[in-house]
Amino acid sequence: MNTPLSNKQFLDRLNNDKELRNRRDELVKGQHPETIVITCSDSRVVPEFIFNCSLGDIFVIRTAGNVINEGELATVEYAIEHLKVKHIIVLGHTHCGAVHAAIHNEQGRYLGPILNRIKANISNICDELEASKINAIKEVSYIKEKFPQYEGTIEYKIYDIETSESR
Ligand SMILES: [Zn+2]
């Protein structure tokens, strides 16, 4: 079965949008995003939409529950050391399934690294919104601890999937 996703509309848009096409062409030489956004894989949380970004604007790392395990940490290092990003945002969100699963001690075959990390971050907090905030705050602290020489900004935000506000 074929995927329902098609690239055609995007290609049509590029054909009709000179600014976007120029941006795409310019990026062939290399990417220089200024900001890393570490966010959840939740399909309702789309950082390019939320922050009104275009091609090449943000370096996005997505993982369920926006946690930073080994691969994510390596990706952050790449962006800091090689792309020289100036800002890092850990973007948690309301109604996060991963945070919910951690609070309710759900199990899975491969979910351990993610759920255990969220559990360690939130300890015994049961309120989902509060847990999402603490989870993001702890990941911010973790980045600061791992990259003490990094001089850019590091902050967290919570995206509200009901109002589309990020604060
Ligand atoms: Zn989530």
Side-chain angles (χ1 to χ4, degrees):
M1 200 161 77
N2 289 329
T3 164
L5 297 178
S6 165
N7 179 225
K8 187 180 178 311
Q9 278 178 314
F10 183 59
L11 293 175
D12 288 346
R13 195 180 144 200
L14 280 164
N15 272 331
N16 298 315
D17 185 338
K18 192 162 181 276
E19 197 181 322
L20 186 63
R21 198 169 56 247
N22 288 344
R23 180 83 174 125
R24 190 271 319 268
D25 292 346
E26 175 193 312
L27 287 165
V28 173
K29 288 176 258 164
Q31 59 165 333
H32 307 283
E34 290 198 344
T35 305
I36 302 176
V37 179
I38 299 158
T39 194
C40 187
S41 296
D42 193 302
S43 60
R44 299 165 295 183
V45 182
V46 184
E48 288 84 350
F49 287 179
I50 294 168
F51 300 119
N52 198 32
C53 290
S54 186
L55 296 176
D57 287 348
I58 50 177
F59 188 86
V60 180
I61 300 170
R62 301 187 70 142
T63 181
N66 40 270
V67 290
I68 301 166
N69 281 316
E70 203 177 8
E72 293 79 28
L73 188 65
T75 312
V76 171
E77 180 180 13
Y78 171 75
I80 288 177
E81 302 295 332
H82 298 277
L83 302 178
K84 313 286 184 199
V85 294
K86 299 185 178 81
H87 311 284
I88 301 175
I89 298 172
V90 176
L91 180 68
H93 70 102
T94 60
H95 303 286
C96 181
V99 168
H100 177 92
I103 289 172
H104 296 279
N105 278 311
E106 288 174 20
Q107 309 287 328
R109 258 198 304 173
Y110 307 113
L111 293 174
I114 285 175
L115 295 186
N116 291 340
R117 183 153 183 103
I118 297 172
K119 279 191 229 174
N121 281 346
I122 67 176
S123 66
N124 56 2
I125 294 170
C126 292
D127 178 77
E128 285 188 21
L129 179 57
E130 194 54 31
S132 288
K133 275 187 198 167
I134 296 297
N135 185 49
I137 289 168
K138 289 283 179 70
E139 294 300 343
V140 163
S141 302
Y142 183 64
I143 297 168
K144 288 180 177 169
E145 176 196 317
K146 290 293 180 185
F147 302 98
Q149 311 297 325
Y150 175 67
E151 288 176 344
T153 68
I154 312 178
E155 63 180 327
Y156 83 95
K157 288 179 184 291
I158 297 295
Y159 176 70
D160 185 328
I161 63 169
E162 284 160 355
T163 65
S164 302
E165 284 175 294
S166 135
R167 44 178 118 217

